Every structure is written in C-alpha cells, then in structure tokens.
Amino acid sequence: MSNDEARSSRAGLLFIVSAPSGTGKTTLVERLVQVVSNLTMSRSYTSRPARPGEQSGVDYNFISREDFEAMVRQGAFLEWADVFGHFYGTSKADTDALLGEGRDVVLVIDVQGARQVRNRGIPNVGVFVLPPSAAILEQRLRGRSKDSEDQIRRRLQVACREVDEYSQYDYVVINDELDGAVERLASIVWAERSRVDSTRPDAERIIRTFRHAESTKGKPV
Ligand code: 5GP
C-alpha cells in the first residue's frame, strides 16, 4: 500500500507556506494540490473586498470586518493577522475537520500567522518560498500590474522584513522556475508523509502481520 492510499489511518499533516507578496506562492500551491493527491489548500476568511474575478467560497470566504472581529472573539481562528490593512484568518473548525479526515492541509499564510501557529505548539511543517532576488520580486510585482506605485513600495518594504524570518521555517523553496519549484514542494510533502511518525499506524499494522505469520507458523491451516 502506498503512503497515499494509507491516508485515512492517520491524522492529516499541516503544511504552512509563506512568502513575500509577488513571489507566486498561491500559483505554486494551486499547482501543488493538483499534482499531490489528498492535499487540500485551506480557504481563509478575509475582510478584504473581493477583487474582480474572485468568488466567495472559492478564493476566500469574504466577510465583513464586523463578522471577522466576532469570529476573533469566539476564538474561531487557528491564526489570524492584519496584512496590508485587511484581516485574514484560518478557521480552526475547517482545518480540524480536514485533518480529522486524514487529509493533509496547506495554509498559505503570512509570517505573522505562521508565527502564531508555531507559538501555539501546533505541529506543522513550514515552507518559506523565496524569490530569486529582490530585483526579480520587484519586477514581478510591477509585471502583474495589480498595484499602484505606492502599494508596490509598501509590498517591497514588507518583503524586506518577511524574508528575515525564513530560518524559522523547516524548508526553503526558491521560486526561480514554476515547474521545478512545484516539484520541490511536492518532494517536501512526500518526505514528510514518509516520516516514521507519519507512517506509524500503517507500519504497525504491517508489523502485526509479521507477528501473526510467526505465531501461526507450523500450525496446520
Ligand atoms: P491577498 O490579499 O493578496 O490575497 O493576500 C495578502 C496576504 O495575506 C498574502 O501574503 C497571504 O499569504 C496572506 N494571507 C491569506 N490568507 C491568510 C490567512 O488566513 N492568514 C494569514 N495570516 N495570512 C493570510
């Protein structure tokens, strides 16, 4: 049985992917969940208004600032943060439900949210995605022409602070080329799925078949 087929016998793994804005982390993770089965990208809640083409329940759960604050008071978030003036958060109930079904989950969240998950002692595998250089990040931010000059400056300033946090993560992936970066991310998921702790329930089940074979050896069938 492959690790993939064995998914239901263990709780899911929680992956965190963080990167400065413009690094291409969302595209990367969207591709990742297409190529790795049983891996789900979490859908965050945000008070940011939807951009043209974005849909509530697909890209994010878009909610009002008041509703977001009410969820904060109810303790509904695994983590949440104010990013560029809008609130973003990961639902605890949604995440627990997926992990409980044995699905592996990826949170694409900023460095503040990742820090909260770590500080709360929630087991996770952190991946920091770096652009090849600051100049290339700036070029990408300009190229996607989503932001004003002011916003680009602000994103670059925030990126300077965010990249300093890379060493708090377990892995680093440099997004120099999409296919290669997706492959490296997928390898991380497979490596983590193959850890002794992740495979223990299935390994134990297989070991029991050996004990059973040993105890029935020589007995007539
Ligand atoms: P955008 O508005 O461009 O979709 O996202 C802005 C930033 O918010 C990105 O860095 C993204 O990773 C981060 N973000 C999205 N969802 C969450 C979340 O649930 N929690 C946290 N802490 N950050 C998030």
Side-chain angles (χ1 to χ4, degrees):
M1 187 191 291
S2 72
N3 285 0
D4 200 38
E5 290 164 315
R7 69 186 157 88
S8 55
S9 52
R10 62 159 172 84
L13 299 170
L14 185 65
F15 292 90
I16 293 180
V17 174
S18 299
S21 173
T23 308
K25 59 181 179 295
T26 309
T27 311
L28 210 57
V29 175
E30 280 169 357
R31 286 278 295 275
L32 175 73
V33 299
Q34 280 168 11
V35 299
V36 177
S37 57
N38 190 40
L39 185 66
T40 304
M41 186 170 163
S42 161
R43 189 179 306 113
S44 297
Y45 286 73
T46 183
S47 67
R48 163 169 83 61
R51 297 185 184 120
E54 283 184 334
Q55 274 183 314
S56 197
V58 178
D59 302 280
Y60 283 102
N61 296 303
F62 293 100
I63 58 173
S64 68
R65 222 175 157 87
E66 295 68 39
D67 286 349
F68 195 101
E69 283 164 347
M71 284 180 76
V72 172
R73 284 194 299 275
Q74 289 155 13
F77 291 119
L78 190 68
E79 61 73 37
W80 70 276
D82 181 335
V83 186
F84 299 116
H86 298 295
F87 295 148
Y88 296 83
T90 306
S91 155
K92 198 174 171 331
D94 295 354
T95 313
D96 286 349
L98 289 166
L99 294 174
E101 288 167 14
R103 294 191 71 84
D104 296 335
V105 178
V106 197
L107 311 182
V108 184
I109 61 177
D110 86 318
V111 294
Q112 308 172 73
R115 209 180 303 133
Q116 288 169 36
V117 176
R118 281 196 301 273
N119 291 346
R120 286 177 188 167
I122 300 164
N124 74 91
V125 179
V127 184
F128 197 91
V129 180
L130 276 173
S133 70
I136 292 177
L137 179 66
E138 182 167 356
Q139 221 174 305
R140 287 183 187 166
L141 283 172
R142 292 190 188 288
R144 67 182 193 178
S145 62
K146 262 202 308 205
D147 307 306
S148 66
E149 183 59 31
D150 257 13
Q151 281 170 323
I152 292 175
R153 290 270 129 242
R154 200 155 147 234
R155 285 186 195 279
L156 286 169
Q157 272 170 6
V158 172
C160 285
R161 290 201 304 271
E162 288 177 332
V163 293
D164 278 341
E165 301 237 356
Y166 86 92
S167 59
Q168 303 300 311
Y169 289 69
D170 302 297
Y171 295 92
V172 171
V173 168
I174 299 169
N175 191 11
D176 43 4
E177 181 266 317
L178 185 65
D179 288 343
V182 171
E183 240 173 69
R184 291 193 292 279
L185 263 179
S187 315
I188 292 168
V189 174
W190 283 111
E192 289 296 324
R193 285 180 176 178
S194 306
R195 278 186 178 279
V196 168
D197 274 349
S198 306
T199 49
R200 201 179 295 280
D202 296 301
E204 288 298 327
R205 186 179 40 70
I206 293 166
I207 303 306
R208 276 196 299 278
T209 67
F210 280 84
R211 297 212 181 100
H212 180 71
E214 182 68 17
S215 66
T216 54
K217 205 161 57 182
K219 291 185 187 161
V221 245

